[in-house]
Amino acid sequence: MRKFSSYGPISKQSHFYVPRTEMIDNACLQLLGEEPTEGGHYITVWAPRQTVKTWLLLEVAERLKALGEYDVAILTMQSAKSAKTAEDALEIFVTELRTWFERDNLPYITDWKQLRTLFTSAYFDKPLILILDEFDAMQSKYINAFANEFRTIHGHRRNEHTKSTSEKTYLLHGLALMGVRSVLGIWG
């Protein structure tokens, strides 16, 4: 018997739910890009708590994984709420990445400029679509530092327009930043 739930991601088998096909399709399109061979988009998803953000992106991640062309990860930055230093925030991020992909070869980094080195062919075989939940849990200065590096990666990828997405220097194909408070604008 199905029941109502208002706590976190829902189970299609256990809970009542409304399929959000159009929203899922749109989020996939945004992360893949209109021409996926050229690259995806970096987007933000801001909405109040309990409004299906996480469930939506879990659905998107499953669909994108099924394509087999991308590494896809959904990481939570909730633990970074207590980060007191940049090194703490970066360590939490890398730990999340290492755990998700079960890769001990991802190096811990101590400087924001090193962040982009994680998204290269040294560590990934395929383009990456990264979804960061609870991104706004961090202190504003860390949000801004992450965003600056993500913008740098995105700009670099756009400048390599003659290369396919898997040939680009940085393999971060698409990025979704999720949270309850809007702290960034949408990027291209």
Side-chain angles (χ1 to χ4, degrees):
M1 179 158 93
R2 293 181 189 259
K3 58 185 176 181
F4 289 99
S5 175
S6 62
Y7 304 103
I10 61 164
S11 164
K12 291 182 194 176
Q13 290 74 34
S14 308
H15 302 124
F16 291 108
Y17 76 99
V18 176
R20 307 301 284 267
T21 307
E22 188 175 328
M23 287 177 82
I24 294 167
D25 291 346
N26 186 43
C28 286
L29 176 65
Q30 291 301 311
L31 289 170
L32 289 175
E34 290 81 11
E35 282 295 328
T37 57
E38 294 175 10
H41 297 284
Y42 290 16
I43 65 171
T44 57
V45 180
W46 308 113
R49 294 194 188 285
Q50 305 301 318
T51 56
V52 304
K53 295 181 306 292
T54 302
W55 177 84
L56 172 73
L57 274 295
L58 285 168
E59 293 291 309
V60 167
E62 287 304 313
R63 189 180 293 179
L64 296 176
K65 277 189 229 174
L67 296 174
E69 299 173 34
Y70 303 92
D71 281 327
V72 181
I74 299 179
L75 311 178
T76 180
M77 295 304 293
Q78 182 67 38
S79 296
K81 184 176 191 170
S82 61
K84 302 282 188 244
T85 65
E87 290 81 12
D88 290 346
L90 290 166
E91 180 181 351
I92 290 165
F93 177 74
V94 172
T95 298
E96 288 287 323
L97 268 178
R98 291 176 82 161
T99 302
W100 182 273
F101 288 110
E102 299 176 348
R103 294 186 188 158
D104 292 336
N105 68 331
L106 286 167
Y108 284 102
I109 56 176
T110 57
D111 183 79
W112 292 108
K113 288 184 176 71
Q114 295 171 316
L115 182 64
R116 55 187 102 141
T117 65
L118 297 175
F119 305 111
T120 65
S121 59
Y123 306 108
F124 291 95
D125 300 324
K126 301 187 252 186
L128 172 66
I129 295 177
L130 182 61
I131 299 167
L132 297 179
D133 199 1
E134 303 288 343
F135 186 72
D136 61 336
M138 294 183 290
Q139 292 181 35
S140 293
K141 62 185 174 183
Y142 304 141
I143 290 170
N144 291 335
F146 268 110
N148 286 339
E149 291 308 310
F150 289 142
R151 281 186 195 111
T152 298
I153 292 167
H154 184 62
H156 199 284
R157 285 181 56 83
R158 288 177 59 149
N159 289 336
E160 293 182 317
H161 56 86
T162 59
K163 295 180 179 179
S164 73
T165 190
S166 60
E167 295 172 328
K168 295 185 180 197
T169 303
Y170 302 114
L171 294 178
L172 186 56
H173 180 92
L175 172 69
L177 304 176
M178 297 178 7
V180 296
R181 61 186 173 109
S182 180
V183 292
L184 302 168
I186 296 178
W187 323 320

